[in-house]
Amino acid sequence: MTLFTPMLRASPLTEIFSDENTLQGMLDFEAALAQACAQCGVIPASAVNAISGQCQATKLNSEALAQAAAGAGNLAIPLVKQLTANVKQQDEQAARYVHWGATSQDVIDTGLVLQLRTAFDASELLLGQLIDVLAAQVQQNRHSVMPGRTWMQHALPITFGLKLAGTLDALLRWQQRLYELKPRVLVLQFGGAAGTLASLKDQGIPVAQVLANILALNPSDTPWHSQRDRLIEAATWFSGVSSTLGKFANDFSLLMQTEVAEVGEPVAEGRGGSSTMPHKRNPVSCAAILTATMRIPGMMATLYASQNQQHERALGGWQAEWETLPQLVMLTGGVMQTTLELLTGMQVNTAKMRTNLDITHGLIMAESVTLALAKFIGKQAAHHLVEQLCHRALDENQPLATLLAQHPDVSAHLSTTQIEHLLDPQHAIGSNDHFINQVLARATQQTRRVK
């Protein structure tokens, strides 16, 4: 369904999982297998070039391969058949040694791991760009005071910079997790028919070690044909990143509501319009991000269900991964790319943020008055008094400052100037700068380490 690719999967990660690259990953395994077997004396060295020379996806008939896979049960069987036939046309003897000692799952799983490695590299680059842009926006908006919202209601003032810093903080953790998981996930799959490499006799382990070196993958302590925790860890990383960015997009879209209007998506010709209403400016980037993040949990459920694999080689569970994991990765790539564009060109309306702070006539700052008054009359009494005045401010549509200044139990302890100061949101952002400084410092530290 390529019509939706620009909307939902427009990132470098999509091409990584193209049909051609899927086949090429499997062929890279076959070429490396021939080389490893030759180095260990299992097959003649003369067979390597003939086999490797045909390990190019463009030399396969992908349509015929796909049709044959329906009957064979997987892509590797017809791939090996076509590869063998192509090698045979060049060197009949070399064709005897294609796919020596391996099983179909070795080919498919290792090919997938090679694709995941490329996807991790592309994701690392995208994530680094997201972190850089987000850090700049945090710094720029660190003093943009706005209403904090809990239970969808005004709570206490925060800054837009702190709100963005929360997303940055999470992305920095996902960046760290990526460094940690790659050695565990980027592992060779090579076990032969039942995970014993019996067909290679005493050369099974030497061939596996050389094969891992050629492909620049870590060797595995045991074949993992039916132990799929590595792929779940990879999927969880992509799903987690998309969830973090989905939370950001959800908040951003709420802040774009007409009545709120504190932020806006980048402005461009034809962007966010309506087919019937000329005034509309829809949060189309947020919609694309949320579309993906709504689909990904279902994909994760499939991958978790597929962990239940029978004995040494699976029936159904393994096969369920083939489309699900790449789709999840591609959707996450789209989320990352779209978020990057959103962050780069987003609009921030600080004037509207300030206006929205004043909607409740000072009620958002009631807590600061309570705490100041509590020093004189106690916490419970101060809370009860300020709460009553808040209710009056709402009922009578009066500024809270006026009612506070007029009440003798307040004016006896707090002057009009003090009340105005306490009700100024700019003076009520607590440890805002400390939290922002911590996150920005860690972003700088991690960025230097990456570069």
Side-chain angles (χ1 to χ4, degrees):
M1 303 187 70
T2 56
L3 285 173
F4 295 107
T5 294
M7 183 187 301
L8 301 175
R9 295 178 291 275
S11 88
L13 276 71
T14 294
E15 181 58 27
I16 294 167
F17 292 94
S18 68
D19 290 347
E20 183 175 328
N21 283 327
T22 296
L23 296 178
Q24 190 58 56
M26 297 162 67
L27 291 169
D28 289 345
F29 170 86
E30 293 290 356
L33 175 63
Q35 186 178 343
C37 285
Q39 287 187 29
C40 295
V42 175
I43 69 172
S46 58
V48 173
N49 288 340
I51 295 172
S52 298
Q54 296 302 314
C55 287
Q56 299 175 33
T58 54
K59 294 187 176 183
L60 296 179
N61 184 333
S62 58
E63 185 175 342
L65 191 155
Q67 291 297 324
N74 65 59
L75 289 170
I77 292 173
L79 179 142
V80 170
K81 186 175 181 180
Q82 278 196 34
L83 175 61
T84 302
N86 291 347
V87 173
K88 189 173 183 180
Q89 290 181 354
Q90 306 299 318
D91 186 331
E92 189 168 347
Q93 289 300 310
R96 298 169 55 190
Y97 303 106
V98 172
H99 193 62
W100 195 270
T103 193
S104 298
Q105 191 164 352
D106 295 335
V107 184
I108 293 172
D109 281 352
T110 301
L112 175 61
V113 170
L114 294 175
Q115 288 177 289
L116 283 174
R117 179 170 63 192
T118 307
F120 284 152
D121 290 343
S123 298
E124 189 173 341
L125 179 60
L126 266 176
L127 188 56
Q129 293 172 331
L130 276 167
I131 287 170
D132 288 345
V133 171
L134 197 48
Q137 292 284 16
V138 168
Q139 182 64 42
Q140 183 175 336
N141 291 283
R142 66 184 303 152
H143 301 303
S144 302
V145 183
M146 65 184 294
R149 295 172 170 92
T150 61
W151 288 48
M152 302 291 284
Q153 306 290 309
H154 281 204
L156 294 174
I158 63 169
T159 69
F160 190 51
L162 181 61
K163 193 175 190 70
L164 295 173
T167 302
L168 176 58
D169 190 25
L171 291 182
L172 289 168
R173 290 193 294 275
W174 287 119
Q175 188 181 56
Q176 185 62 38
R177 291 184 186 108
L178 182 57
Y179 303 147
E180 295 166 355
L181 72 83
K182 284 200 288 187
R184 292 191 295 269
V185 173
L186 301 179
V187 173
L188 174 71
Q189 172 74 287
F190 188 52
T196 62
L197 291 176
S199 62
L200 291 173
K201 300 182 172 56
D202 60 347
Q203 291 301 305
I205 301 306
V207 169
Q209 291 172 337
V210 174
L211 180 55
N213 289 337
I214 293 171
L215 293 172
L217 296 174
N218 291 321
S220 60
D221 291 336
T222 64
W224 46 279
H225 291 135
S226 55
Q227 300 293 342
R228 315 302 284 178
D229 58 288
R230 291 182 175 92
L231 298 188
I232 276 291
E233 184 172 12
T236 299
W237 186 85
F238 286 104
S239 175
V241 170
S242 72
S243 295
T244 293
L245 298 178
K247 183 264 191 294
F248 167 76
N250 197 30
D251 283 357
F252 199 94
S253 64
L254 292 172
L255 295 176
M256 272 189 71
Q257 291 182 105
T258 305
E259 298 82 357
V260 181
E262 293 176 359
V263 298
E265 289 195 357
V267 177
E269 182 67 28
R271 181 186 178 90
S274 166
S275 61
T276 58
M277 295 173 283
H279 68 281
K280 290 295 292 293
R281 186 173 162 203
N282 294 319
V284 292
S285 292
C286 294
I289 293 165
L290 292 171
T291 298
T293 58
M294 288 178 185
R295 293 178 59 194
I296 286 174
M299 295 177 179
M300 286 300 300
T302 298
L303 293 172
Y304 272 110
S306 71
Q307 292 284 296
N308 186 8
Q309 302 202 0
Q310 306 88 356
H311 300 304
E312 282 63 54
R313 300 280 297 283
L315 175 67
W318 173 50
Q319 293 83 350
E321 299 167 353
W322 295 345
E323 287 188 319
T324 306
L325 181 53
Q327 286 175 356
L328 188 156
V329 174
M330 289 188 285
L331 284 172
T332 301
V335 167
M336 295 173 76
Q337 185 68 51
T338 302
T339 305
L340 179 60
E341 294 165 4
L342 173 57
L343 282 168
T344 301
M346 71 178 179
Q347 298 182 320
V348 180
N349 189 343
T350 54
K352 192 61 162 64
M353 290 176 176
R354 179 66 208 206
T355 299
N356 288 342
L357 281 166
D358 295 332
I359 285 176
T360 57
H361 303 297
L363 266 61
I364 193 171
M365 296 302 303
E367 184 189 49
S368 65
V369 178
T370 300
L371 295 175
L373 195 58
K375 296 176 183 179
F376 303 101
I377 66 173
K379 177 68 184 301
Q380 284 299 111
H383 180 86
H384 180 69
L385 174 57
V386 174
E387 186 178 41
Q388 285 184 320
L389 293 176
C390 285
H391 290 163
R392 276 190 60 193
L394 289 172
D395 293 342
E396 300 172 13
N397 194 27
Q398 290 195 61
L400 179 61
T402 301
L403 297 178
L404 287 167
Q406 292 173 351
H407 199 287
D409 290 343
V410 177
S411 60
H413 305 289
L414 300 175
S415 67
T416 301
T417 301
Q418 287 175 310
I419 292 171
E420 290 176 354
H421 180 85
L422 289 169
L423 293 179
D424 186 348
Q426 199 73 44
H427 301 141
I429 55 175
S431 300
N432 177 86
D433 284 351
H434 174 75
F435 293 138
I436 286 177
N437 288 338
Q438 286 191 131
V439 175
L440 290 178
R442 186 154 59 89
T444 300
Q445 183 182 27
Q446 283 192 197
T447 300
R448 286 173 179 168
R449 187 174 65 196
V450 171
K451 293 179 178 178

